[in-house]
Amino acid sequence: MSPNDALTMSRMPDLLEDYEPGTFFFTSPTRTLLARGVCQEVPDSGATSLRDRVASALRDARSSGHPNPVVVGAIPFRDDRPPRLLVPAAVCWTSPPAGLPAGPEQVTDTFTGFGPVPDPGDYLRGVEKALVKLTAGELKKIVLARALDVTLGAPVDVGRVLRNLIRRDPQAYGYAVDLPSSTATARTLLGASPELLVSRSGRRITTNPLAGSVPRHPDPVVDAERARALLASDKDLREHALVIESIVEVLRPYCRELSVPDGPSPLSTASMWHLSTRITGVLDDPAVTSLELATMLHPTPAVCGTPASAARQAIEEIEPFDRGLYAGLVGWGDLAGDGEWVVTIRCAEVADQTLRLFAGAGIVAGSVPETELAETTAKFQTMLRAVGLGQDR
């Protein structure tokens, strides 16, 4: 991409119009980023920390003449898997997409197969295994996920799915990340996350963890009652409190001020109600970057469990697939240390005609396996409806 191309794109009011496979897209309630090309790759591994490798790539990009380098990409759930981070050649910013048509764009009405991994029965048995560990005191919480493989009758139109995701949940963090592929088939991670792990602007930081969920209902009266019941649910409040305690424990040593609400509030997406706590703070040391904070917090009990090491081990024992980038991080950071990083949920990995969807549920003492299965089914709806296949699976 030439500098003139970047200037032209920066004048576009809706960068969704410019999205195409192979680019990085990220939108928050306050801004939208579209990035193309590669200025610097961040090494997957090395003798230095990820923070230092990212900082080096950003400095090298600035030295090579990049006017305002940022790092973009995704970090996987497991720390022994390589991140997908780079400094793009061209970065364009604008306000969030606005004025999208009310109705979804039809992506497909045909499919050739659904494949749950594991199947619902095995997922129920996995939750039962987790409850045994909870009863024995090995865990306080664990998040168990499942996947859904979907094959369509034609190649997935990633740009159209992305627009549908953002249209349905305009307050979510929409994203699309180009993934490496060993074949000629392009691979993309895309989704619309409701969960901000951390943002930093100067010394000010914000995190908005979610834990405790219930599906939405089309009847407004029933829907409102579900939100009230969630706020009164002992099981969900305990699950949420474990997440907040963990995040505050990590952040407090780095903050001269930290504001934590007394209790959660309900947050709605198109498919779910969540318990939400918005925490704000002021950093003591301005050298602590958004990416550094994000990697210190990751994975929170909202996507892993607690104690973290025991939960990770139990996830490896129970889940029959590699999460990859699901339940990891996606976002951006700049040379000053500012940035936004969200939890990679409500997502799918896309390749040609296939999608692998992911959804998880937090398990604590008192969890009911069938209820947790229903929660994952409801969470699949975000992606299924964006594709045009919204239905229970």
Side-chain angles (χ1 to χ4, degrees), residues 362-384:
I363 317 300
V364 296
S367 289
V368 177
E370 290 77 12
T371 302
E372 308 303 338
L373 176 66
E375 181 176 322
T376 61
T377 299
K379 289 175 177 176
F380 282 140
Q381 297 305 303
T382 296
M383 288 300 309
L384 287 174

Side-chain angles (χ1 to χ4, degrees), residues 24 26 28 31 42 50 54 58 70-76 83-86 173 175 177 193-200 206-209 289-295 297-298 300 328-334 337-344:
F24 175 88
F26 183 91
S28 74
R31 73 191 102 191
V42 177
L50 178 61
V54 167
L58 288 168
V70 298
V71 63
V72 303
I75 296 172
R84 174 62 172 165
L85 296 172
L86 57 86
Y173 297 81
Y175 55 89
V177 185
S193 175
E195 187 165 5
L196 173 67
L197 182 63
V198 68
S199 66
R200 200 203 89 159
T206 302
T207 178
N208 192 185
T289 69
S290 63
L291 179 59
E292 187 176 5
L293 290 168
T295 54
L297 291 168
H298 174 66
T300 74
L329 314 176
V330 61
W332 65 272
D334 65 16
D338 290 346
E340 296 174 295
W341 298 92
V342 304
V343 183
T344 315

